[in-house]
Amino acid sequence: MSEPVMLAPGPDPGLPVGSGHGASAWRANVLVSAQLIRLVVGVALVSAIAAIVWAYTAPMPVGIVVRAGLAAVPSDQMSRYFDGIGWFSMGLLAIGVLAGSAFWWLARTWRGPIGVLALTATTVVYSGLAIEVAHAALRIRLPDRTTLPAGETFLHGPKLWLAAPVD
């Protein structure tokens, strides 16, 4: 009889198997934390930069100061809120795809359930970071509408925390 053909490399049948070193679903290979740290810092930087770019390029509605302390956004401008939030959402989606791809190729030892949990936590936390950075950039970029004279127009950035009240 001929020898069986091995389709994938495996342990040498002649060598003894070490006890206590079995692979499990929670530990793919070796957890190299330097890979995870590089990825997490990279996602944080990309998220912050993308949020700043969004704050300076996204469509925003134009409001009008009615009188001191009172401003309004005309109803025909309301769709621009949706546009701005849509741009931000698509940016976060692109960052998520890039982070997932980078994680897959750069942090190979983190593949598996631990990697999924780490990547999910990273993208959720840094989405919140991106929202806060975007709001800070909007506060820097846009004038304080309470100081504008009556009749003046202003840009109004959308609230990215969708539970926030519209002011």
Side-chain angles (χ1 to χ4, degrees):
M1 183 176 242
S2 65
E3 285 202 29
V5 177
M6 286 184 55
L7 298 177
D12 185 2
L15 296 176
V17 178
S19 63
H21 297 296
S24 71
W26 288 99
R27 184 173 167 251
N29 289 327
V30 178
L31 301 177
V32 181
S33 58
Q35 294 172 336
L36 184 66
I37 291 169
R38 278 194 303 261
L39 185 73
V40 166
V41 170
V43 172
L45 289 174
V46 169
S47 297
I49 290 169
I52 292 169
V53 168
W54 173 85
Y56 284 88
T57 61
M60 294 177 203
V62 177
I64 301 168
V65 177
V66 178
R67 64 176 187 269
L70 180 65
V73 176
S75 60
D76 63 336
Q77 291 286 315
M78 290 302 195
S79 64
R80 297 186 59 88
Y81 279 120
F82 179 78
D83 295 344
I85 293 170
W87 279 32
F88 193 81
S89 299
M90 291 298 106
L92 287 182
L93 178 66
I95 290 171
V97 168
L98 290 173
S101 298
F103 194 87
W104 181 258
W105 293 108
L106 299 176
R108 291 178 181 224
T109 60
W110 284 81
R111 291 180 184 171
I114 289 177
V116 169
L117 293 174
L119 183 60
T120 301
T122 299
T123 53
V124 168
V125 168
Y126 289 134
S127 294
L129 171 76
I131 289 173
E132 290 301 321
V133 169
H135 282 184
L138 284 176
R139 284 190 297 274
I140 292 169
R141 176 184 174 218
L142 302 177
D144 183 12
R145 61 185 173 276
T146 60
T147 62
L148 296 174
E152 190 75 26
T153 60
F154 62 91
L155 289 176
H156 188 264
K159 302 291 184 196
L160 297 173
W161 293 110
L162 296 179
V166 176
D167 55 355

